Amino acid sequence: MEKLIITAAVTGSLPTRKKTPYVPIRPEAIVDAGVRCEQAGAAVIHVHARNPRDESPSADFQIFKEIHEGLKERTNLIIQISTGGRAGMAYEQRSDRLALKPEMASLTTGSVNFPDSVYANSPELIENLARDMRTHGIKPEMEIFDVSMIANAVALAEKGLAVPPLHFDFVMGLRGAIPATIENLVHLKNSIPAGATWTAAGIGPAQLVMNTHAVLMGGHVRVGLEDNIYFRKGELAPNERFVERIVKLAAEFGRPAATPDEARRIMHLK
Ligand code: ZN
């Protein structure tokens, strides 16, 4: 099996400082979290921006730019910018950040009902984002919230809007999306094209469980406060501790953590 690629999803859209004091909100705090996660063994950082004023999700190009530049200056991490958009952010707001030309960006290939809202991604929006990524030489991480989204991602590749081998991230255990069970994970893994790489993310307590299955099945993992703020029941922790834990666990199973350059090779980044 390949070495384990660990993606740190340090901020996301939802966790607030009120829920956990460890979530980085300001650009410099997000960069600092990246530095610590890289030291702990992460190879990829999944980036969201927040409004420092009220912690709400931000589409501000300048904030993404500050985070991107800081991470490039202080780490060798693969930077993966989220194109996710809450609260009805329009295509333009979700795409202009791609002009930063991060090595990767997330691309959700379908719509899903979140517990309190519709996460709408129309076919046209998905194709436009995919085209922008291809234009800028950015590798998409296909964010898979349900099985049908895999077929949508493969269809993009068939249209020439994504370049194989594809990389997938299975986001499991969010209410409204695919439940976090090992049966579902096996089905997702068996549904992607040969040669594709994949990562498993789990929401809340499903994070450690799905990560561990992925380690054993030859996949890769996503950890961090975007998906899960509790290190164990009742105990909050900073992002790097989640990275440290999966590094230790995976090493026991013969999957040492990949460096960012090793991850570039495994995912066929330029
Ligand atoms: Zn995200």
Side-chain angles (χ1 to χ4, degrees):
M1 281 188 206
E2 291 279 12
K3 288 189 175 178
L4 182 75
I5 301 171
I6 300 169
T7 298
V10 297
T11 305
S13 301
L14 289 181
T16 58
R17 312 270 310 176
K18 209 172 143 191
K19 282 188 195 144
T20 172
Y22 298 111
V23 65
I25 300 292
R26 299 185 154 274
E28 59 271 27
I30 292 171
V31 174
D32 285 343
V35 169
R36 290 193 301 269
C37 286
E38 183 181 31
Q39 285 165 355
V44 182
I45 182 165
H46 173 80
V47 173
H48 286 253
R50 299 283 193 95
N51 296 309
R53 235 178 328 101
D54 61 1
E55 304 188 23
S56 62
S58 172
D60 186 332
F61 180 81
Q62 288 307 323
I63 297 180
F64 276 105
K65 187 165 180 240
E66 200 178 328
I67 298 167
H68 188 250
E69 283 176 355
L71 286 167
K72 270 176 67 171
E73 208 176 285
R74 294 182 54 203
T75 75
N76 184 32
L77 290 168
I78 295 166
I79 302 167
Q80 178 191 95
I81 290 188
S82 169
T83 61
R86 296 220 172 211
M89 281 182 199
Y91 158 68
E92 290 75 18
Q93 286 177 288
R94 290 168 61 170
S95 70
D96 68 350
R97 63 194 75 160
L98 297 175
L100 295 167
K101 299 188 176 136
E103 282 181 272
M104 295 183 82
S106 63
L107 179 63
T108 303
T109 53
S111 300
V112 60
N113 277 359
F114 284 160
D116 55 355
S117 60
V118 181
Y119 181 27
N121 296 291
S122 71
E124 187 191 8
L125 171 84
I126 295 165
E127 290 199 2
N128 285 336
L129 288 172
R131 191 173 291 113
D132 292 345
M133 289 181 201
R134 198 193 52 181
T135 303
H136 291 302
I138 299 165
K139 177 155 185 149
E141 173 174 273
M142 305 298 184
E143 300 299 331
I144 303 302
F145 289 78
D146 224 321
V147 189
S148 59
M149 293 190 193
I150 293 176
N152 295 344
V154 171
L156 288 175
E158 284 165 354
K159 283 187 186 169
L161 293 172
V163 183
L166 302 179
H167 179 72
F168 295 87
D169 178 41
F170 306 139
V171 185
M172 306 181 71
L174 187 71
R175 195 149 48 86
I178 195 164
T181 66
I182 187 165
E183 290 84 359
N184 283 340
L185 183 59
V186 169
H187 183 55
L188 290 168
K189 172 190 181 283
N190 289 341
S191 300
I192 62 174
T197 47
W198 61 278
T199 291
I203 305 302
Q207 181 172 78
L208 181 59
V209 181
M210 290 299 117
N211 286 172
T212 306
H213 289 319
V215 167
L216 296 171
M217 290 162 62
H220 303 282
V221 300
R222 177 167 113 172
V223 299
L225 303 186
E226 172 165 352
D227 301 330
N228 172 40
I229 61 173
Y230 286 104
F231 190 72
R232 56 174 70 88
K233 202 169 168 42
E235 183 183 340
L236 299 165
N239 281 289
E240 60 270 20
R241 279 195 65 204
F242 293 83
V243 177
E244 282 163 13
R245 175 166 62 182
I246 199 67
V247 166
K248 263 191 228 160
L249 256 174
E252 292 291 332
F253 291 116
R255 302 271 326 264
T259 64
D261 285 338
E262 287 167 339
R264 288 182 175 95
R265 180 187 56 73
I266 295 168
M267 291 191 288
H268 304 271
L269 295 169
K270 271 161 255 148

